[in-house]
Amino acid sequence: MKEEIHIQSLKEAHPELDMLIRMEEMLWLNLRLEAFQKAITSAPLSKENVEAAEERLQRFAPYIAKAFPETKTSNGLIESPLVSIPAMKHSLERLSGQQIPGELLLKCDSHLPISGSIKARGGIYEVLKHAEQLAIQNGLLTEQDDYSVLDEERFRAFFSNYSIAVGSTGNLGLSIGIMSAKLGFHVTVHMSADAKVWKKELLRSKKVTVVEYESDYSEAVEKGRLQAEKDPACYFIDDENSHDLFLGYAVAASRLKKQLDALNTPVDEQHPLFVYLPCGVGGGPGGVAFGLKLLFGDHVHCFFAEPTHSPCMLLGLMTGLHDRISVQEIGIDNLTAADGLAVGRPSGFVGKTIEPFLSGVYTVSDERLFELLKELADTEDLYLEPSALAGMYGPVHLVKAGRGYLLKHQLTEKMSNGTHIVWGTGGSMVPHDVMNAYYKQGASQTRG
Ligand SMILES: *Cc1c(COP(=O)(O)O)cnc(C)c1O
């Protein structure tokens, strides 16, 4: 952040930067992608770490089932459906004029219980881990116990001696806020200017303290961090650097594998899997992609999706500067209706970790997000928030601009046996009137 950014020399080194600065939709392919077996040797996290997170969520399942009755049917696991969306695939082909070989599936994290977004994975996991640690350290719990006891008043009284804080554009605040408040913690959410009013109101209704800022996400995080540091009983959830958040997201992969098995959808040498993940600061898509690579290795191809106005991860990866550069420094405003993705500076930890595993990053315009939102509602009767539609244009970008990638990895012939998974990251908690307005915006701009 101290070093000076020389845009001219960056442009010379990276000719694609011009297109990014012009805020045109683009696909960037990652030349630092490595074969999985090589990439994993230098990763800061391992399969064992992800499995430990999975076991921890299993320990908490009896508590979750009790505290959130909507998770009873899944035995206390916070999981979402994986569904086929053939009608939407036709729409994409019609809108883009491109044939999309392979099957199109939607992972409905939009419908995750408790907080209705992908943040119900990482955010909730980190709160649970912190609560477990406190309870064990104080002799109130052992790993062998039935964790449903955590729903008792004595635990709420115990956790009320502690507080949790987080900076958020909205959805992380919802997850952390709802989970922490349920356990009995005092919780403060530092919200950036783009956070939606309904998210703040919902949190306040659950006795969460919401602090609002005029500035963007990075500053809300910074202010939250500083305030939390003053209080030794306060635990700050650090969206930019947290390994725990990342691992909570990564657990999604083994759950997805079971769902693919149930659909008789193979992933192997002859059946490639392409996954498209909306990216903000990077933890959510990074964790999920990392988990998927651990399970499927070179047979899964992960792409991040960002708004043309907030392509922070693309910029960090392309230049190799990671969190040492922000989109504002190259003249991009970081203003987007995709509030979950309105991040100007990426996580350095995620960028460096995911670099050898990630196939590429692409951008989509806000207009496109609304168009796809309306289209998905019309074709499949599924309602997602604008951020969550960023993944939907991935298959189009790949067939349109990714020929080089497909050739290089000998995928061209295998595409028709392949599967595309669009990660639908949020939306089921959006109030009706707000969703209606999104839909109308999509409808008003629909071309001929
Ligand atoms: C937070 C969020 C993302 C991206 O997650 P990051 O960890 O910020 O990269 C994507 N979609 C939605 C709806 C989100 O709320």
Side-chain angles (χ1 to χ4, degrees):
M1 282 149 247
K2 303 273 181 301
E3 72 198 310
E4 235 182 280
I5 304 291
H6 292 282
I7 296 188
Q8 203 46 43
S9 50
L10 277 179
K11 278 186 185 174
E12 280 158 25
H14 312 283
E16 291 163 294
L17 196 57
D18 260 324
M19 207 171 172
L20 197 72
I21 293 173
R22 289 199 305 270
M23 294 185 276
E24 289 171 29
E25 292 185 334
M26 63 181 286
L27 170 68
W28 171 79
L29 294 168
N30 177 19
L31 296 177
R32 295 194 185 95
L33 171 68
E34 292 173 5
F36 173 75
Q37 285 307 335
K38 177 159 185 280
I40 195 64
T41 57
S42 47
L45 294 166
S46 69
K47 192 167 191 160
E48 287 68 36
N49 296 139
V50 180
E51 285 166 358
E54 198 169 355
E55 284 160 20
R56 179 166 288 113
L57 287 170
Q58 198 64 60
R59 288 199 291 280
F60 271 97
Y63 165 71
I64 297 289
K66 196 163 168 217
F68 299 96
E70 69 265 36
T71 65
K72 252 204 185 108
T73 49
S74 59
N75 297 317
L77 289 194
I78 302 165
E79 202 35 77
S80 73
L82 176 69
V83 299
S84 180
I85 48 170
M88 181 65 195
K89 187 178 148 185
H90 284 301
S91 267
L92 278 178
E93 292 176 329
R94 183 176 49 79
L95 291 171
S96 68
Q98 293 283 328
Q99 278 285 107
I100 300 168
E103 199 186 353
L104 184 63
L105 303 177
L106 181 68
K107 179 62 175 159
C108 302
D109 273 9
S110 46
H111 291 71
L112 277 173
I114 302 179
S115 67
S117 83
I118 188 171
K119 307 296 194 307
R121 299 184 184 279
I124 288 180
Y125 173 73
E126 184 156 356
V127 173
L128 295 179
K129 185 179 173 194
H130 180 60
E132 183 185 54
Q133 230 158 23
L134 287 174
I136 289 178
Q137 278 166 5
N138 287 274
L140 298 172
L141 187 75
T142 72
E143 285 191 13
Q144 285 68 44
D145 289 348
D146 176 346
Y147 278 26
S148 63
V149 293
L150 289 163
D151 199 39
E152 291 171 10
E153 196 45 48
R154 63 191 172 102
F155 277 98
R156 274 188 288 277
F158 168 68
F159 290 127
S160 74
N161 298 313
Y162 300 90
S163 60
I164 289 182
V166 67
S168 171
T169 62
N171 285 342
L172 186 63
L174 278 186
S175 282
I176 306 268
I178 293 171
M179 190 66 246
S180 307
K182 191 66 142 190
L183 281 159
F185 287 104
H186 292 284
V187 49
T188 303
V189 177
H190 299 266
M191 288 276 203
S192 54
D194 41 295
K196 298 281 176 282
V197 173
W198 68 266
K199 294 183 183 175
K200 299 175 197 168
E201 285 174 354
L202 194 149
L203 282 174
R204 287 186 172 125
S205 78
K206 301 199 183 275
K207 302 202 166 56
V208 172
T209 306
V210 177
V211 185
E212 298 176 59
Y213 296 92
E214 301 280 322
S215 47
D216 84 347
Y217 163 86
S218 304
E219 225 175 297
V221 170
E222 213 31 57
K223 296 263 170 58
R225 194 196 314 271
L226 286 175
Q227 200 174 323
E229 272 170 8
K230 292 185 212 147
D231 177 2
C234 182
Y235 179 73
F236 182 70
I237 295 190
D238 186 347
D239 198 13
E240 291 172 325
N241 299 294
S242 170
H243 288 197
D244 287 329
L245 274 176
F246 190 86
L247 291 170
Y249 291 119
V251 171
S254 64
R255 311 250 185 98
L256 182 81
K257 186 172 186 311
K258 290 192 190 107
Q259 293 178 317
L260 285 168
D261 289 345
L263 293 174
N264 289 317
T265 301
V267 179
D268 55 36
E269 180 81 45
Q270 297 308 320
H271 302 84
L273 175 63
F274 302 91
V275 184
Y276 310 98
L277 298 140
C279 178
V281 73
V288 172
F290 182 72
L292 289 169
K293 293 301 280 192
L294 285 173
L295 287 185
F296 298 119
D298 296 328
H299 307 317
V300 64
H301 307 269
C302 300
F303 294 87
F304 287 177
E306 296 187 306
T308 49
H309 284 252
S310 304
C312 67
M313 189 59 80
L314 199 167
L315 177 65
L317 287 166
M318 176 196 278
T319 58
L321 291 169
H322 297 292
D323 57 348
R324 307 203 309 281
I325 190 166
S326 69
V327 301
Q328 288 93 341
E329 285 165 285
I330 59 166
I332 297 181
D333 56 15
N334 190 30
L335 294 177
T336 168
D339 48 344
L341 312 183
V343 178
R345 188 186 296 279
S347 159
F349 153 63
V350 173
K352 289 170 208 164
T353 301
I354 210 65
E355 190 158 49
F357 297 101
L358 191 67
S359 297
V361 187
Y362 65 84
T363 59
V364 278
S365 69
D366 274 28
E367 196 181 33
R368 178 88 62 202
L369 296 176
F370 286 106
E371 177 183 32
L372 296 171
L373 186 151
K374 174 188 179 287
E375 211 58 35
L376 185 66
D378 290 346
T379 55
E380 307 281 353
D381 198 29
L382 286 164
Y383 290 79
L384 268 51
E385 61 187 278
S387 301
L389 272 306
M392 193 61 80
Y393 216 58
V396 175
H397 267 304
L398 185 63
V399 289
K400 237 184 191 166
R403 281 199 197 87
Y405 181 88
L406 298 177
L407 278 172
K408 181 173 171 189
H409 297 274
Q410 291 158 9
L411 292 164
T412 315
E413 310 290 301
K414 301 172 188 164
M415 289 297 281
S416 51
N417 299 330
T419 304
H420 305 270
I421 296 183
V422 170
W423 215 274
T425 45
S428 65
M429 298 203 26
V430 177
H432 269 291
D433 55 329
V434 177
M435 188 56 85
N436 267 336
Y438 290 154
Y439 181 91
K440 281 198 184 127
Q441 177 152 355
S444 73
Q445 61 183 40
T446 299
R447 297 154 255 216

